[in-house]
Amino acid sequence: MATKPPAGDPVQDAPQVAPPKHAAAGLPAIGYTALVAQQQMGAVRATRTLLKVNQKDGFDCPGCAWPEGDKRHVAEFCENGAKAVAEEATLRRVTPDFFAAHPLSDLAGRSGYWLGQQGRITQPMYLPEGADRYEAVTWERAFEIVAEELKALDSPDEALFYTSGRTSNEAAFLLQLFAREFGTNNLPDCSNMCHESSGSALTETIGIGKGSVSLEDLHQADLIIVAGQNPGTNHPRMLSALEEAKRAGAKIISVNPLPEAGMERFKNPQTAKGLALGGQKLNDLFLQIRIGGDQALFRLLNKLIVETEGAVDELFVREHTHGYEEFAAAARAADWDETLAATGLTRAEIEQALSMALASRRTIVCWAMGLTQHKHAVATIREVVNFLLLRGNIGRTGAGVCPVRGHSNVQGDRTMGIFERPAPAFLDALEKEFGFAPPRHHGYDVVRSIEALRDGKAKVFFAMGGNFVGATPDTEVTEAAMRRASLTVHVSTKLNRSHAVTGRRALILPTLGRTDKDVQKSGKQFVTVEDSMGLVHSSRGNLKPASPHLLSEPAIVARLARATLGAGSTVEWEEFEKDYATIRDRIARVVPGFEDFNARVAKPGGFRLPHAPRDERRFPTATGKANFTAAPVEYPAVPEGRLLLQTLRSHDQYNTTIYGLDDRYRGIKGGRRVVLVNPEDGRELGFTDGSYADLVSEWKDGVERRAPGFRVVYYPTTRGCAAAYYPETNVLVPLDSTADTSNTPASKSVIVRLEQSATV
Ligand SMILES: Nc1nc2c(c(=O)[nH]1)N[C@H]1C(S)=C(S)[C@@H](COP(=O)(O)OP(=O)(O)OC[C@H]3O[C@@H](n4cnc5c(=O)[nH]c(N)nc54)[C@H](O)[C@@H]3O)O[C@H]1N2
Ligand SMILES: Nc1nc2c(c(=O)[nH]1)N[C@H]1C(S)=C(S)[C@@H](COP(=O)(O)OP(=O)(O)OC[C@H]3O[C@@H](n4cnc5c(=O)[nH]c(N)nc54)[C@H](O)[C@@H]3O)O[C@H]1N2
Ligand SMILES: [Mo]
């Protein structure tokens, strides 16, 4: 199997390489922010828009899910938030003329960067069976087409309703309500590829699948461990929190195969010290770990804590936890030599980490995709929980678990019931409120949805945002599966690969984004979102929508539901579309923690959802206590002559949305087809810096998955490890290479060999 780089695309991928940077943000970040914003929006619109980002009366940044503090800066956003805003608030437009000029075959040959740069989609578009071009269609007809296809299915479970994490609480609640009234729990979402492993591990061990810390906790911590996360690029505002913690005396350990600039030093663009005086050093200890070695690392630290006199918080363990003895026995059995091999670290480094852990009364562990996207991701995160439980670091000020979420409302979407395995209590509440019987059997997650399409068991694919074929693993398998669908529907703001890889028929339904003003029959609307720390607040756009033909996401679901369910529905869809407050009234009666929703969200800054472990040291697990767990230690076994590849983000992308071709902090410019390898590995494998390689992944099914033409970049990553950007490398991730329990694609541990490239 081979994929060619997109042809016929004016974008040249010609990477230039300079040494990586050792500090993040600073003046260059301000310069880039201004430049990007002006190119897409023009100066006036740029200023007007950016001043409303993350303000209490403004809109929630469509970038990451990092929370805002109570005191807001005038400019409460970062360089990458500004890029996310500019990308959405752009003045460029994709009109029906564009689709007339670009047949499907043309769109399919374009890069994701090119597609995204075309601008906002302005009208509903329809691709009839056998046609080679999308044509304009009315909203009415578009909903009829979807309803026709849905009603023709043999079972509601042949439909899939995907959600990406930008969707508001209101739209998400309506989408799951519609799917369930229609009769299916097939509600896969981007979480399945993202923090599902965190949710699985935390629900089992502490009883709730969310982080337990607030921004104030971070400011008060003694020790913050940042494992498998690159905040300088993906959560830049987190650097301000780390800076504040450092100023108050905290220590920071970063655990990463790459020396990420953002973890080294932060030049806060909002302070004089940041701009003129060289900024704040962040890292006190950098543990340059082997990919996938984290469970082994934490297990050994846990052994050392258990074996240190007086180090375990015995009172906490006795009163609040379950399973300590069994866990402690497993921890004692941890082996130094095996840990050193699994982690690639030295004994001295691990001992230093231990002494920092023992010196800390308040410890927080933050993590993201570097921990969640491995076969043993759930076991790894459970080991992190063990580590925190040992010293009573949950449910105490300045301490706790901090899974740092990705999409700006991915956490809220799950709270609203976007989940293929809903809790029975949630379904009971829906049934009581709306008077229909929701399906009780579990639905498909992302990977199982692809399998269902591939095997002909699912036929209609509907996406509320996102770029399903671009973001999911095993690109060739996934695209072939999508092409088997009878209908694919994408509610989208911008063009992407998923619009070019369609079922027999396809629809693009253009929608309002976060920055757009949303006016319905009852007047101007706002929506709500939940950040990474469980804070719910409102978001209101202030820009004139990209076109008069756009519908909001709640309106689209409400109209689709009416077209599909007709008079048989027990839900007042029309009311919901008219006035989103009526949706919030229903959410208040169905979702715990949202009582009196409308009144509480009207307060500036919103409100915090309850979190039993954080608030009252109560653990709503099966045992009623926080659970220690003792999974066997795992780490990837890499055969001779092979590398372990992680697929990650550059500084110039938002998932599959490519803002530009640079990765400034890593010293890469003008191209994305690069593979970062340790110089010693490069030499051993016979690839010089600047040579070109095909990446070929090796998996037990014997299928050859190849990504051709990557420039080899000698880079200070851990020996035996490599890194390349997603989504270009998704073709290498086997569909059935997933995390145990959470089924999240293991896109941070792909075994590859390098081959001399024939394509360049
Ligand atoms: N600007 C911008 N912001 C974003 C996004 C974006 O694309 N662009 N995406 C959003 C989304 S949806 C998400 S989920 C987050 C993602 O945020 P991150 O998780 O920070 O994103 P990745 O680029 O995948 O980076 C993974 C990090 O983990 C490290 N890593 C890889 N494997 C391992 C390992 O085995 N162990 C350890 N300890 N470290 C490892 C990598 O070197 C890298 O630093 O960001 C969100 N914010
Ligand atoms: N190999 C590899 N694969 C990965 C990952 C990885 O690290 N490595 N990361 C995974 C992770 S963490 C995630 S979260 C997924 C991301 O998967 P997705 O969420 O599916 O992908 P995005 O690229 O964020 O989706 C971008 C598209 O969303 C649409 N969009 C933007 N804003 C809006 C809006 O307001 N409303 C609507 N309706 N549409 C909008 C635009 O059309 C845009 O093209 O990818 C996963 N895939
Ligand atoms: Mo994500």
Side-chain angles (χ1 to χ4, degrees):
M1 304 213 294
T3 46
K4 282 198 213 71
D9 191 311
V11 176
Q12 291 295 319
D13 202 286
Q16 295 161 10
V17 181
K21 303 272 185 292
H22 298 287
L27 272 177
I30 298 185
Y32 286 101
T33 304
L35 184 71
V36 171
Q38 290 201 19
Q39 279 172 351
Q40 297 267 0
M41 302 188 271
V44 176
R45 188 172 164 98
T47 314
R48 216 181 123 202
T49 311
L50 292 176
L51 288 177
K52 287 285 183 193
V53 184
N54 292 337
Q55 298 301 325
K56 288 176 180 170
D57 64 340
F59 61 89
D60 183 60
C61 178
C64 73
W66 189 256
E68 292 81 45
D70 208 42
K71 288 191 309 267
R72 309 277 159 102
H73 295 276
V74 178
E76 185 64 48
F77 58 89
C78 64
E79 175 197 349
N80 277 346
K83 289 186 205 157
V85 169
E87 190 77 19
E88 180 177 298
T90 179
L91 292 169
R92 301 174 191 161
R93 297 289 177 266
V94 170
T95 62
D97 288 345
F98 171 92
F99 289 100
H102 296 278
L104 204 60
S105 55
D106 179 12
L107 299 179
R110 302 288 182 166
S111 70
Y113 178 49
W114 187 91
L115 290 171
Q117 288 303 306
Q118 304 311 305
R120 288 286 294 273
I121 307 165
T122 58
Q123 281 191 47
M125 301 300 302
Y126 174 46
L127 183 74
E129 184 171 1
D132 76 337
R133 272 159 234 262
Y134 279 94
E135 54 193 48
V137 64
T138 63
W139 279 106
E140 213 175 9
R141 178 70 192 126
F143 292 124
E144 259 171 37
I145 293 166
V146 190
E148 254 166 44
E149 290 278 357
L150 286 175
K151 286 194 272 194
L153 295 175
D154 290 331
S155 146
D157 288 329
E158 290 179 348
L160 303 167
F161 298 95
Y162 173 72
T163 309
S164 163
R166 263 192 204 174
T167 292
S168 65
N169 288 334
E170 288 75 3
F173 185 79
L174 292 193
L175 184 64
Q176 63 82 33
L177 185 64
F178 166 59
R180 294 191 166 115
E181 192 177 23
F182 176 67
T184 184
N185 282 314
N186 287 342
L187 288 154
D189 74 337
C190 68
S191 243
N192 297 147
M193 299 180 269
C194 186
H195 267 292
E196 197 68 62
S197 304
S198 309
S200 301
L202 293 176
T203 304
E204 183 190 350
T205 54
I206 66 167
I208 172 167
K210 299 182 183 182
S212 74
V213 301
S214 67
L215 216 44
E216 293 69 44
D217 287 319
L218 272 161
H219 297 159
Q220 293 173 47
D222 296 330
L223 174 65
I224 302 171
I225 301 180
V226 181
Q229 195 200 342
N230 178 23
T233 285
N234 298 312
H235 308 90
R237 285 178 303 118
M238 177 174 167
L239 299 186
S240 314
L242 295 179
E243 181 188 36
E244 190 159 339
K246 280 288 286 203
R247 263 200 253 115
K251 300 272 187 245
I252 296 177
I253 302 178
S254 129
V255 188
N256 203 307
L258 297 176
E260 304 284 27
M263 289 308 301
E264 294 185 57
R265 183 171 286 278
F266 174 47
K267 296 185 179 172
N268 191 337
Q270 279 155 349
T271 65
K273 180 181 177 195
L275 286 182
L277 301 176
Q280 172 73 52
K281 183 179 183 309
L282 293 181
N283 248 352
D284 295 282
L285 176 64
F286 171 38
L287 297 179
Q288 186 160 26
I289 199 163
R290 241 183 245 284
I291 291 175
D294 304 82
Q295 189 199 5
L297 169 66
F298 280 99
R299 177 62 60 88
L300 188 76
L301 288 173
N302 289 340
K303 164 197 173 85
L304 300 174
I305 293 172
V306 166
E307 290 174 352
T308 302
E309 180 80 32
V312 175
D313 182 341
E314 282 172 16
L315 190 65
F316 175 81
V317 167
R318 203 166 43 239
E319 284 190 1
H320 296 291
T321 72
H322 174 266
Y324 175 75
E325 287 309 329
E326 199 188 323
F327 159 73
R332 283 194 194 94
D335 179 65
W336 266 105
D337 288 338
E338 188 184 17
T339 309
L340 298 184
T343 59
L345 299 170
T346 65
R347 195 173 175 119
E349 287 170 326
I350 296 180
E351 280 169 349
Q352 197 185 340
L354 174 71
S355 66
M356 290 166 77
L358 292 178
S360 165
R361 289 274 307 128
R362 296 183 284 241
T363 301
I364 291 175
V365 183
C366 304
W367 71 88
M369 299 303 102
L371 295 202
T372 64
Q373 299 175 334
H374 293 287
K375 174 177 183 294
H376 57 308
V378 176
T380 299
I381 296 162
R382 283 191 196 153
E383 202 61 34
V384 169
V385 173
N386 290 334
F387 171 77
L388 291 168
L389 291 178
L390 275 178
R391 290 177 52 76
N393 277 312
I394 290 189
R396 178 205 279 167
T397 304
V401 280
C402 183
V404 183
R405 302 278 159 180
H407 268 298
S408 52
N409 197 40
V410 63
Q411 186 159 316
D413 291 344
R414 186 54 67 81
T415 307
M416 290 299 116
I418 300 291
F419 194 24
E420 73 283 353
R421 290 171 286 135
F426 182 86
L427 297 178
D428 293 343
L430 271 189
E431 182 158 3
K432 185 156 165 263
E433 179 65 20
F434 293 102
F436 67 85
R440 297 278 163 169
H441 58 282
H442 289 174
Y444 299 128
D445 62 13
V446 162
V447 167
R448 295 202 173 92
S449 292
I450 297 167
E451 291 165 351
L453 287 164
R454 178 194 65 194
D455 302 340
K457 290 183 190 149
K459 295 184 177 127
V460 172
F461 176 86
F462 178 97
M464 183 53 87
N467 176 6
F468 191 84
V469 302
T472 51
D474 228 346
T475 311
E476 302 216 344
V477 174
T478 299
E479 292 195 348
M482 196 56 89
R483 291 195 161 104
R484 291 200 65 188
S486 54
L487 175 71
T488 49
V489 187
H490 287 91
V491 179
S492 309
T493 50
K494 310 265 309 249
L495 272 185
N496 63 48
R497 176 84 189 157
S498 297
H499 303 123
V501 180
T502 71
R504 190 160 45 79
R505 304 202 273 172
L507 282 160
I508 303 175
L509 307 180
T511 191
L512 298 176
R514 283 278 167 79
T515 53
D516 297 315
K517 195 182 288 175
D518 183 352
V519 181
Q520 302 295 341
K521 280 192 185 142
S522 71
K524 200 178 161 205
Q525 307 294 313
F526 66 87
V527 292
T528 61
V529 293
E530 174 185 342
D531 68 30
S532 198
M533 295 178 177
L535 209 87
V536 179
H537 62 88
S538 61
S539 172
R540 52 195 101 220
N542 64 341
L543 294 180
K544 186 171 164 223
S547 126
H549 305 293
L550 304 187
L551 287 183
S552 73
E553 292 183 350
I556 290 173
V557 184
R559 291 191 196 188
L560 175 60
R562 284 166 62 205
T564 309
L565 304 168
S569 176
T570 66
V571 178
E572 295 155 14
W573 297 103
E574 236 177 309
E575 291 305 306
F576 289 162
E577 177 178 345
K578 242 185 249 162
D579 181 359
Y580 301 171
T582 64
I583 309 175
R584 286 187 289 273
D585 283 338
R586 300 305 194 95
I587 293 172
R589 288 204 287 269
V590 171
V591 187
F594 283 82
E595 299 77 17
D596 215 9
F597 190 5
N598 273 308
R600 285 198 293 156
V601 85
K603 295 207 189 95
F607 61 95
R608 195 175 290 283
L609 289 173
H611 188 289
R614 179 196 66 210
D615 304 336
E616 6 165 2
R617 278 203 164 173
R618 189 169 59 75
F619 298 92
T621 60
T623 61
K625 305 255 178 171
N627 291 316
F628 279 103
T629 51
V633 170
E634 279 183 65
Y635 47 94
V638 185
E640 262 305 293
R642 307 294 186 263
L643 296 174
L644 193 57
L645 175 80
Q646 58 151 323
T647 62
L648 81 180
R649 294 154 172 80
S650 81
H651 194 63
D652 265 4
Q653 73 182 87
Y654 194 93
N655 300 335
T656 69
T657 298
I658 310 302
Y659 301 138
L661 302 180
D662 300 345
D663 193 3
R664 197 165 80 243
Y665 298 151
R666 299 197 184 106
I668 315 279
K669 259 187 101 142
R672 294 180 45 86
R673 291 187 87 82
V674 293
V675 58
L676 313 184
V677 300
N678 182 292
E680 285 176 58
D681 287 322
R683 281 190 280 274
E684 233 173 71
L685 297 172
F687 285 84
T688 54
D689 185 61
S691 62
Y692 277 78
D694 287 2
L695 310 180
V696 185
S697 93
E698 296 184 355
W699 183 241
K700 59 189 178 199
D701 61 8
V703 173
E704 185 183 284
R705 296 173 174 85
R706 179 181 296 265
F710 280 69
R711 185 200 190 279
V712 173
V713 176
Y714 280 7
Y715 200 87
T717 182
T718 315
R719 279 298 309 264
C721 300
Y725 304 132
Y726 122 85
E728 288 82 349
T729 44
N730 263 336
V731 65
L732 299 173
V733 185
L735 188 60
D736 58 343
S737 171
T738 61
D740 299 332
T741 309
S742 68
N743 211 28
T744 294
S747 40
K748 292 288 188 280
S749 37
V750 187
I751 292 173
V752 295
R753 62 172 192 271
L754 305 190
E755 284 189 2
Q756 293 299 337
S757 187
T759 57
V760 183

